[in-house]
Amino acid sequence: MSFAQPQFLLLLLLLPALAWLKGKVGFQPAFLYSSVQLVRGIMGITRSRAGAVLLKLRWLALILFILALARPQRGEGEAKLTASGIDIVVALDLSGSMSSEDFELKGRRVNRLAIAKDVLEQFISRRPNDRIGLVAFARDAYIAAPLTLDHDFLQQNLERLEIATPDKDGTAIGSALGAALNRVREIKSKSKIVILMTDGQNNAGKVPPLTAAEAAETLGVKVYTIGVGTRGMAPMPYTDPFGRKRYAQQPVDIDEETLQKISARTGGKYYRADKTETLRSIYDQTDRLEKTEVQVKKYQHYRELFPWVALPGLVVLLLEIILNQTVWRRLP
């Protein structure tokens, strides 16, 4: 067992001084009588120990509270944490066209965002040693999750992502790449990677995609781009006036040329994901390509014991107050 804030234990050194001062300060309790004969009948009664017991309870409660302030902890074993030195930022398109249902998952039709999230979740689970961040973009780009080794937190943020509303629709590829670069440019790691997944063309944002690619090349960031969507036409769901789900066919318009140029300039690769199996294989290939030596670190997991000390202290204090006001109540 150890203490997270051991400096509070110094307060224990003050308790003997406080106990000494308590005995020195104030007057001795006494009753004044005109004659000793008036109390001769009670002179044989022994002194009650109630006051001493109550005082000990008060000191015990104080000791327990001080120990609680020091935050006692118990180590629950040592674990190994491997950090590979690879930082990965995934930029995921949330534009309205990502709602096109041209993929299948577990035998049913799903939209592009659903399959992208499912494949990305598996990719994250296979790389527990990498720091991974998440950028979401439509008309604007924003950080959905910072670079982190806490992949549970990352998965939760990924699960919350939804298709952009019509007033925020658009595809800001350049801004998304710029936001991803801002997360890794100050980080000194062995390898920095951006995986950009989109199903359209850059039509929003103030940063041209190829300008962002130049910045990535300068920073030594490798960009893998993925064009998501079947070739030709894709079914876009909508709701008719009677509340029924319908589909309208719309053309798949991926700017493959720009995505290829981005990857080629930064040393990455461009992939076209027109089927579920293809998208999974793309992440599998990326997973195999980006490997490096691991660096082992150790950490200790601690369990907080604060409640197990504070609660007994509170019980002792309440017991002292109850006894002081009932069974062992003193004369005023």
PDB file of all heavy atoms in Angstrom, residues 238-258:
ATOM      1  N   TYR A 238     -34.376   7.915 -48.847  1.00  0.00           N
ATOM      2  CA  TYR A 238     -35.150   9.105 -48.486  1.00  0.00           C
ATOM      3  C   TYR A 238     -36.513   8.636 -48.000  1.00  0.00           C
ATOM      4  O   TYR A 238     -36.907   7.482 -48.193  1.00  0.00           O
ATOM      5  CB  TYR A 238     -35.276  10.061 -49.674  1.00  0.00           C
ATOM      6  CG  TYR A 238     -36.183   9.578 -50.781  1.00  0.00           C
ATOM      7  CD1 TYR A 238     -37.526   9.936 -50.826  1.00  0.00           C
ATOM      8  CD2 TYR A 238     -35.685   8.744 -51.793  1.00  0.00           C
ATOM      9  CE1 TYR A 238     -38.368   9.483 -51.845  1.00  0.00           C
ATOM     10  CE2 TYR A 238     -36.511   8.281 -52.809  1.00  0.00           C
ATOM     11  CZ  TYR A 238     -37.851   8.660 -52.826  1.00  0.00           C
ATOM     12  OH  TYR A 238     -38.681   8.202 -53.825  1.00  0.00           O
ATOM     13  N   THR A 239     -37.235   9.524 -47.366  1.00  0.00           N
ATOM     14  CA  THR A 239     -38.565   9.199 -46.827  1.00  0.00           C
ATOM     15  C   THR A 239     -39.632   9.897 -47.658  1.00  0.00           C
ATOM     16  O   THR A 239     -39.569  11.122 -47.860  1.00  0.00           O
ATOM     17  CB  THR A 239     -38.679   9.645 -45.354  1.00  0.00           C
ATOM     18  OG1 THR A 239     -37.625   9.037 -44.605  1.00  0.00           O
ATOM     19  CG2 THR A 239     -40.017   9.242 -44.766  1.00  0.00           C
ATOM     20  N   ASP A 240     -40.602   9.135 -48.161  1.00  0.00           N
ATOM     21  CA  ASP A 240     -41.658   9.717 -48.982  1.00  0.00           C
ATOM     22  C   ASP A 240     -42.696  10.412 -48.098  1.00  0.00           C
ATOM     23  O   ASP A 240     -42.628  10.329 -46.858  1.00  0.00           O
ATOM     24  CB  ASP A 240     -42.299   8.638 -49.872  1.00  0.00           C
ATOM     25  CG  ASP A 240     -43.072   7.593 -49.078  1.00  0.00           C
ATOM     26  OD1 ASP A 240     -43.343   7.799 -47.875  1.00  0.00           O
ATOM     27  OD2 ASP A 240     -43.421   6.548 -49.669  1.00  0.00           O
ATOM     28  N   PRO A 241     -43.669  11.109 -48.680  1.00  0.00           N
ATOM     29  CA  PRO A 241     -44.671  11.834 -47.871  1.00  0.00           C
ATOM     30  C   PRO A 241     -45.474  10.956 -46.932  1.00  0.00           C
ATOM     31  O   PRO A 241     -46.070  11.462 -45.973  1.00  0.00           O
ATOM     32  CB  PRO A 241     -45.580  12.460 -48.945  1.00  0.00           C
ATOM     33  CG  PRO A 241     -44.704  12.595 -50.151  1.00  0.00           C
ATOM     34  CD  PRO A 241     -43.796  11.398 -50.113  1.00  0.00           C
ATOM     35  N   PHE A 242     -45.500   9.641 -47.162  1.00  0.00           N
ATOM     36  CA  PHE A 242     -46.247   8.729 -46.294  1.00  0.00           C
ATOM     37  C   PHE A 242     -45.354   8.094 -45.218  1.00  0.00           C
ATOM     38  O   PHE A 242     -45.775   7.179 -44.514  1.00  0.00           O
ATOM     39  CB  PHE A 242     -46.896   7.631 -47.142  1.00  0.00           C
ATOM     40  CG  PHE A 242     -47.859   8.156 -48.160  1.00  0.00           C
ATOM     41  CD1 PHE A 242     -47.460   8.305 -49.482  1.00  0.00           C
ATOM     42  CD2 PHE A 242     -49.145   8.534 -47.792  1.00  0.00           C
ATOM     43  CE1 PHE A 242     -48.351   8.798 -50.433  1.00  0.00           C
ATOM     44  CE2 PHE A 242     -50.035   9.023 -48.740  1.00  0.00           C
ATOM     45  CZ  PHE A 242     -49.634   9.167 -50.058  1.00  0.00           C
ATOM     46  N   GLY A 243     -44.122   8.578 -45.094  1.00  0.00           N
ATOM     47  CA  GLY A 243     -43.217   8.078 -44.066  1.00  0.00           C
ATOM     48  C   GLY A 243     -42.528   6.787 -44.412  1.00  0.00           C
ATOM     49  O   GLY A 243     -41.914   6.160 -43.548  1.00  0.00           O
ATOM     50  N   ARG A 244     -42.615   6.378 -45.669  1.00  0.00           N
ATOM     51  CA  ARG A 244     -41.984   5.127 -46.088  1.00  0.00           C
ATOM     52  C   ARG A 244     -40.580   5.389 -46.625  1.00  0.00           C
ATOM     53  O   ARG A 244     -40.330   6.419 -47.250  1.00  0.00           O
ATOM     54  CB  ARG A 244     -42.839   4.441 -47.154  1.00  0.00           C
ATOM     55  CG  ARG A 244     -44.192   3.967 -46.643  1.00  0.00           C
ATOM     56  CD  ARG A 244     -45.052   3.419 -47.763  1.00  0.00           C
ATOM     57  NE  ARG A 244     -45.366   4.457 -48.758  1.00  0.00           N
ATOM     58  CZ  ARG A 244     -46.202   4.273 -49.782  1.00  0.00           C
ATOM     59  NH1 ARG A 244     -46.798   3.092 -49.934  1.00  0.00           N
ATOM     60  NH2 ARG A 244     -46.440   5.253 -50.632  1.00  0.00           N
ATOM     61  N   LYS A 245     -39.695   4.438 -46.381  1.00  0.00           N
ATOM     62  CA  LYS A 245     -38.318   4.561 -46.850  1.00  0.00           C
ATOM     63  C   LYS A 245     -38.234   4.184 -48.320  1.00  0.00           C
ATOM     64  O   LYS A 245     -38.663   3.114 -48.730  1.00  0.00           O
ATOM     65  CB  LYS A 245     -37.391   3.658 -46.020  1.00  0.00           C
ATOM     66  CG  LYS A 245     -35.916   3.831 -46.324  1.00  0.00           C
ATOM     67  CD  LYS A 245     -35.069   2.965 -45.396  1.00  0.00           C
ATOM     68  CE  LYS A 245     -33.588   3.160 -45.646  1.00  0.00           C
ATOM     69  NZ  LYS A 245     -32.754   2.325 -44.741  1.00  0.00           N
ATOM     70  N   ARG A 246     -37.669   5.084 -49.099  1.00  0.00           N
ATOM     71  CA  ARG A 246     -37.495   4.860 -50.516  1.00  0.00           C
ATOM     72  C   ARG A 246     -36.022   5.080 -50.893  1.00  0.00           C
ATOM     73  O   ARG A 246     -35.236   5.572 -50.090  1.00  0.00           O
ATOM     74  CB  ARG A 246     -38.379   5.824 -51.324  1.00  0.00           C
ATOM     75  CG  ARG A 246     -39.862   5.693 -51.037  1.00  0.00           C
ATOM     76  CD  ARG A 246     -40.408   4.368 -51.525  1.00  0.00           C
ATOM     77  NE  ARG A 246     -41.877   4.318 -51.422  1.00  0.00           N
ATOM     78  CZ  ARG A 246     -42.590   3.274 -51.761  1.00  0.00           C
ATOM     79  NH1 ARG A 246     -41.998   2.182 -52.234  1.00  0.00           N
ATOM     80  NH2 ARG A 246     -43.908   3.284 -51.631  1.00  0.00           N
ATOM     81  N   TYR A 247     -35.681   4.711 -52.123  1.00  0.00           N
ATOM     82  CA  TYR A 247     -34.311   4.886 -52.603  1.00  0.00           C
ATOM     83  C   TYR A 247     -34.323   5.618 -53.943  1.00  0.00           C
ATOM     84  O   TYR A 247     -35.194   5.379 -54.795  1.00  0.00           O
ATOM     85  CB  TYR A 247     -33.615   3.535 -52.774  1.00  0.00           C
ATOM     86  CG  TYR A 247     -33.329   2.833 -51.461  1.00  0.00           C
ATOM     87  CD1 TYR A 247     -34.228   1.909 -50.941  1.00  0.00           C
ATOM     88  CD2 TYR A 247     -32.168   3.092 -50.747  1.00  0.00           C
ATOM     89  CE1 TYR A 247     -33.990   1.261 -49.742  1.00  0.00           C
ATOM     90  CE2 TYR A 247     -31.913   2.455 -49.548  1.00  0.00           C
ATOM     91  CZ  TYR A 247     -32.815   1.541 -49.052  1.00  0.00           C
ATOM     92  OH  TYR A 247     -32.568   0.900 -47.856  1.00  0.00           O
ATOM     93  N   ALA A 248     -33.351   6.499 -54.083  1.00  0.00           N
ATOM     94  CA  ALA A 248     -33.134   7.186 -55.356  1.00  0.00           C
ATOM     95  C   ALA A 248     -31.693   6.922 -55.788  1.00  0.00           C
ATOM     96  O   ALA A 248     -30.771   6.975 -54.962  1.00  0.00           O
ATOM     97  CB  ALA A 248     -33.383   8.687 -55.198  1.00  0.00           C
ATOM     98  N   GLN A 249     -31.488   6.641 -57.033  1.00  0.00           N
ATOM     99  CA  GLN A 249     -30.153   6.367 -57.545  1.00  0.00           C
ATOM    100  C   GLN A 249     -29.414   7.683 -57.820  1.00  0.00           C
ATOM    101  O   GLN A 249     -29.962   8.591 -58.437  1.00  0.00           O
ATOM    102  CB  GLN A 249     -30.239   5.540 -58.831  1.00  0.00           C
ATOM    103  CG  GLN A 249     -30.818   4.147 -58.644  1.00  0.00           C
ATOM    104  CD  GLN A 249     -29.955   3.263 -57.775  1.00  0.00           C
ATOM    105  OE1 GLN A 249     -28.730   3.279 -57.874  1.00  0.00           O
ATOM    106  NE2 GLN A 249     -30.600   2.484 -56.915  1.00  0.00           N
ATOM    107  N   GLN A 250     -28.192   7.751 -57.310  1.00  0.00           N
ATOM    108  CA  GLN A 250     -27.386   8.937 -57.560  1.00  0.00           C
ATOM    109  C   GLN A 250     -25.992   8.514 -58.015  1.00  0.00           C
ATOM    110  O   GLN A 250     -25.497   7.442 -57.629  1.00  0.00           O
ATOM    111  CB  GLN A 250     -27.282   9.809 -56.309  1.00  0.00           C
ATOM    112  CG  GLN A 250     -26.431   9.205 -55.189  1.00  0.00           C
ATOM    113  CD  GLN A 250     -26.119  10.220 -54.102  1.00  0.00           C
ATOM    114  OE1 GLN A 250     -26.731  11.267 -54.032  1.00  0.00           O
ATOM    115  NE2 GLN A 250     -25.147   9.905 -53.261  1.00  0.00           N
ATOM    116  N   PRO A 251     -25.336   9.322 -58.840  1.00  0.00           N
ATOM    117  CA  PRO A 251     -24.007   8.950 -59.340  1.00  0.00           C
ATOM    118  C   PRO A 251     -22.954   9.016 -58.240  1.00  0.00           C
ATOM    119  O   PRO A 251     -23.024   9.850 -57.339  1.00  0.00           O
ATOM    120  CB  PRO A 251     -23.740   9.995 -60.425  1.00  0.00           C
ATOM    121  CG  PRO A 251     -24.579  11.167 -60.036  1.00  0.00           C
ATOM    122  CD  PRO A 251     -25.815  10.591 -59.405  1.00  0.00           C
ATOM    123  N   VAL A 252     -22.003   8.099 -58.285  1.00  0.00           N
ATOM    124  CA  VAL A 252     -20.874   8.105 -57.350  1.00  0.00           C
ATOM    125  C   VAL A 252     -19.787   8.991 -57.953  1.00  0.00           C
ATOM    126  O   VAL A 252     -19.284   8.720 -59.046  1.00  0.00           O
ATOM    127  CB  VAL A 252     -20.339   6.672 -57.120  1.00  0.00           C
ATOM    128  CG1 VAL A 252     -19.143   6.706 -56.171  1.00  0.00           C
ATOM    129  CG2 VAL A 252     -21.449   5.802 -56.564  1.00  0.00           C
ATOM    130  N   ASP A 253     -19.445  10.060 -57.252  1.00  0.00           N
ATOM    131  CA  ASP A 253     -18.557  11.081 -57.813  1.00  0.00           C
ATOM    132  C   ASP A 253     -17.344  11.260 -56.915  1.00  0.00           C
ATOM    133  O   ASP A 253     -17.278  12.193 -56.109  1.00  0.00           O
ATOM    134  CB  ASP A 253     -19.331  12.396 -57.964  1.00  0.00           C
ATOM    135  CG  ASP A 253     -18.562  13.421 -58.773  1.00  0.00           C
ATOM    136  OD1 ASP A 253     -17.629  13.024 -59.483  1.00  0.00           O
ATOM    137  OD2 ASP A 253     -18.895  14.622 -58.674  1.00  0.00           O
ATOM    138  N   ILE A 254     -16.378  10.367 -57.006  1.00  0.00           N
ATOM    139  CA  ILE A 254     -15.159  10.429 -56.193  1.00  0.00           C
ATOM    140  C   ILE A 254     -14.039  11.051 -57.020  1.00  0.00           C
ATOM    141  O   ILE A 254     -13.796  10.632 -58.162  1.00  0.00           O
ATOM    142  CB  ILE A 254     -14.750   9.029 -55.708  1.00  0.00           C
ATOM    143  CG1 ILE A 254     -15.871   8.406 -54.871  1.00  0.00           C
ATOM    144  CG2 ILE A 254     -13.466   9.095 -54.894  1.00  0.00           C
ATOM    145  CD1 ILE A 254     -15.602   6.980 -54.470  1.00  0.00           C
ATOM    146  N   ASP A 255     -13.373  12.030 -56.455  1.00  0.00           N
ATOM    147  CA  ASP A 255     -12.244  12.675 -57.140  1.00  0.00           C
ATOM    148  C   ASP A 255     -10.998  11.808 -56.943  1.00  0.00           C
ATOM    149  O   ASP A 255     -10.115  12.121 -56.141  1.00  0.00           O
ATOM    150  CB  ASP A 255     -12.040  14.079 -56.580  1.00  0.00           C
ATOM    151  CG  ASP A 255     -11.021  14.876 -57.388  1.00  0.00           C
ATOM    152  OD1 ASP A 255     -10.442  14.316 -58.333  1.00  0.00           O
ATOM    153  OD2 ASP A 255     -10.800  16.058 -57.050  1.00  0.00           O
ATOM    154  N   GLU A 256     -10.950  10.713 -57.667  1.00  0.00           N
ATOM    155  CA  GLU A 256      -9.840   9.766 -57.506  1.00  0.00           C
ATOM    156  C   GLU A 256      -8.498  10.384 -57.894  1.00  0.00           C
ATOM    157  O   GLU A 256      -7.471  10.061 -57.300  1.00  0.00           O
ATOM    158  CB  GLU A 256     -10.109   8.513 -58.332  1.00  0.00           C
ATOM    159  CG  GLU A 256     -11.275   7.685 -57.816  1.00  0.00           C
ATOM    160  CD  GLU A 256     -11.354   6.334 -58.487  1.00  0.00           C
ATOM    161  OE1 GLU A 256     -11.841   6.278 -59.635  1.00  0.00           O
ATOM    162  OE2 GLU A 256     -10.918   5.344 -57.871  1.00  0.00           O
ATOM    163  N   GLU A 257      -8.516  11.247 -58.882  1.00  0.00           N
ATOM    164  CA  GLU A 257      -7.256  11.850 -59.333  1.00  0.00           C
ATOM    165  C   GLU A 257      -6.588  12.641 -58.214  1.00  0.00           C
ATOM    166  O   GLU A 257      -5.380  12.511 -57.975  1.00  0.00           O
ATOM    167  CB  GLU A 257      -7.518  12.762 -60.537  1.00  0.00           C
ATOM    168  CG  GLU A 257      -6.249  13.385 -61.106  1.00  0.00           C
ATOM    169  CD  GLU A 257      -6.527  14.287 -62.297  1.00  0.00           C
ATOM    170  OE1 GLU A 257      -7.684  14.344 -62.743  1.00  0.00           O
ATOM    171  OE2 GLU A 257      -5.574  14.936 -62.778  1.00  0.00           O
ATOM    172  N   THR A 258      -7.368  13.464 -57.518  1.00  0.00           N
ATOM    173  CA  THR A 258      -6.811  14.251 -56.411  1.00  0.00           C
ATOM    174  C   THR A 258      -6.337  13.356 -55.277  1.00  0.00           C
ATOM    175  O   THR A 258      -5.264  13.567 -54.697  1.00  0.00           O
ATOM    176  CB  THR A 258      -7.855  15.253 -55.894  1.00  0.00           C
ATOM    177  OG1 THR A 258      -8.193  16.157 -56.941  1.00  0.00           O
ATOM    178  CG2 THR A 258      -7.317  16.035 -54.708  1.00  0.00           C
TER     179      THR A 258
END
